[in-house]
Amino acid sequence: MKRSARPSNGFTLVELLVVIAIIGILVGLLLPAVQAAREAARRMSCSNNFKQLGLAVHNYHSAYKQLPIHGVGTGSPPNGAAPFGSVDATTNWWTNYGDSNAWRLSALVGLTPFMEQQAIWDEISNPSYINAIDPDNRLTVAWPPMGPTVQFIQYRPWVTEIPMLRCPSDPGVGLPAQGRTNYAACLGDSMEWSVRGPKQHQASRGGEVVTNQTWALRSLAADRGVFVPHKDSKFRDILDGLSNTVAFAEILTDLGDRDSRGTQSINGNPPNEIRLNPSYCVDNNQLDPERPKYWATGIPTENANNGRGFKWADFRPNFSGVHTIFPPNAPIGGGNNSGQTGMFPPSSRHQGGAHVLLADGAVIFITDSIESGDLHQEMVWQTPVNGVSVPGSQSPYGLWGALGTRASRETIQEQLNQ
């Protein structure tokens, strides 16, 4: 009698190969979705950081009846002592003071106690004997209250990374940056005078910053954003409405790779070239035609220590300011030194745009394609060459420019936060 063959309980080699192939295909399909989900989570976290920043701004205004000043600080006291740097108050205000911050602190510094960063604020607002690069050895001369100028890496608060000021999609970390920030104050739709404002540093008066009539007139004409350097402002000054005006915007931090959003090109006669034509750098072929997000070979760029977003506590536009001229992720309009002059658009590591914080606390995502008017038209300032961009004009830069001005009385018809 013939015995029947026992059925096989295993898989054949062909069947195993088919299963492995199917699993491989599924994994290949799944990985992009996982990566997209991760970026969506990072983008949501970035938006939440901005919402917390908006709450800090409103709580600050409730406490002090004004917005934090961008470009606030202290002057060099007579016979001041400093652990490092110059104490000579007769030198210009960009000198490496160790006994004052020379009125160079950003609005973010004043917001620290409202961002759950009371410990940092306590160290800033009191004398400190800590040397950040040698913390085990106490200084014999204390840092002054409100700290030294921002480039001192020995001063611990200036090199502290504040998590709420960092976008999780931005990989920048460490030197040559100090404490990085991905969020910057809106300075309006003109770069003219946005590093000066209406007041001038007077070294002969102990480092005091006093109103200069000429500077004040230029600032009134051009400094049209929520924040004006060295000047206090209130919500009542935002005549266009808090929900129609950008207060802060997102920026990426420089990675040292010549990304045109992270470092600026250096030109010969700024701010005239960029002020007359925001598209100057593009028109003069300064971008690499094969990699248009990067500066072309041979184009000089900013010093490596002055990358975008490198100093959260420094008020200069390169470090903590934005303009609403070019749309998000456009190249920086290169100035001539240390981030003091130039046009600085928002930017981000997110795909297709960047977050902005409106003055009412709303956070919206602005795309790179937002309507931005005529990007070859001269900026608004005191004495425009073309006779068109006179003080009080509506923004030449369309909806995007209008969102950056606080009191131009321009109608915003678009629904921004859908």
Side-chain angles (χ1 to χ4, degrees), residues 60 90 93 123 132 175 184 189 193 201 205 217 252 277 280 293-294 296 324 327 361 375 395 397:
Y60 185 102
T90 64
W93 78 312
E123 187 169 341
L175 295 173
D189 67 338
W193 234 242
H201 181 266
R205 296 176 59 171
L217 289 172
L252 56 75
N277 175 17
Y280 175 87
K293 287 294 184 184
Y294 295 83
T324 57
L375 293 173
S395 178
Y397 311 117

Side-chain angles (χ1 to χ4, degrees), residues 313-369:
D314 196 320
F315 88 106
R316 286 179 289 174
N318 191 39
F319 301 120
S320 63
V322 293
H323 300 106
T324 57
I325 303 168
F326 265 30
N329 292 309
I332 294 171
N336 62 353
N337 59 3
S338 302
Q340 296 178 36
T341 59
M343 174 192 66
F344 297 96
S347 52
S348 81
R349 302 291 178 185
H350 310 303
Q351 185 66 35
H355 290 103
V356 302
L357 172 69
L358 299 179
D360 68 349
V363 177
I364 60 176
F365 191 78
I366 296 293
T367 65
D368 300 345
S369 58

Side-chain angles (χ1 to χ4, degrees), residues 113-296:
F114 299 90
M115 299 189 301
E116 303 296 330
Q117 296 294 333
Q118 187 66 43
I120 291 179
W121 173 251
D122 288 344
E123 187 169 341
I124 293 172
S125 57
N126 292 284
S128 171
Y129 289 89
I130 297 172
N131 179 356
I133 61 177
D134 189 13
D136 293 331
N137 292 316
R138 179 184 170 91
L139 295 172
T140 56
V141 177
W143 297 110
M146 302 310 295
T149 44
V150 182
Q151 65 268 30
F152 280 96
I153 63 174
Q154 298 95 333
Y155 187 63
R156 187 166 65 178
W158 298 164
V159 296
T160 299
E161 291 268 338
I162 299 178
M164 207 188 87
L165 297 180
R166 295 307 314 276
C167 169
S169 292
D170 190 303
V173 65
L175 295 173
Q178 293 174 205
R180 297 180 188 236
T181 178
N182 290 109
Y183 309 120
C186 181
L187 304 174
D189 67 338
S190 177
M191 59 171 269
E192 164 75 358
W193 234 242
S194 61
V195 75
R196 294 184 176 91
K199 297 182 180 181
Q200 184 178 20
H201 181 266
Q202 295 286 339
S204 61
R205 296 176 59 171
E208 185 181 357
V209 171
V210 298
T211 299
N212 177 302
Q213 183 174 356
T214 301
W215 286 32
L217 289 172
R218 296 189 74 160
S219 179
L220 279 173
D223 291 335
R224 312 198 317 166
V226 167
F227 292 95
V228 177
H230 309 310
K231 182 180 179 181
D232 59 343
S233 57
K234 302 175 174 62
F235 282 148
R236 72 178 184 192
D237 300 323
I238 306 174
L239 302 180
D240 288 351
L242 301 185
S243 61
N244 295 326
T245 308
V246 175
F248 283 84
E250 188 177 0
I251 60 174
L252 56 75
T253 68
D254 183 34
L255 301 180
D257 55 2
R258 291 177 61 87
D259 189 322
S260 63
R261 304 166 298 168
T263 188
Q264 65 189 73
S265 62
I266 301 298
N267 292 294
N269 190 32
N272 296 335
E273 294 155 337
I274 311 298
R275 186 179 59 201
L276 290 173
N277 175 17
S279 298
Y280 175 87
C281 297
V282 177
D283 292 347
N284 284 271
N285 302 315
Q286 294 187 1
L287 297 172
D288 188 332
E290 296 183 2
R291 305 172 71 219
K293 287 294 184 184
Y294 295 83
W295 297 115

Side-chain angles (χ1 to χ4, degrees), residues 374-388:
D374 183 0
L375 293 173
H376 288 87
Q377 183 169 326
E378 185 176 6
M379 298 177 195
V380 174
W381 65 296
Q382 188 180 27
T383 53
V385 175
N386 64 16
V388 176

Side-chain angles (χ1 to χ4, degrees), residues 303-321:
N303 183 289
N305 295 325
N306 291 316
R308 189 79 162 119
F310 269 16
K311 302 175 184 179
W312 71 272
D314 196 320
F315 88 106
R316 286 179 289 174
N318 191 39
F319 301 120
S320 63

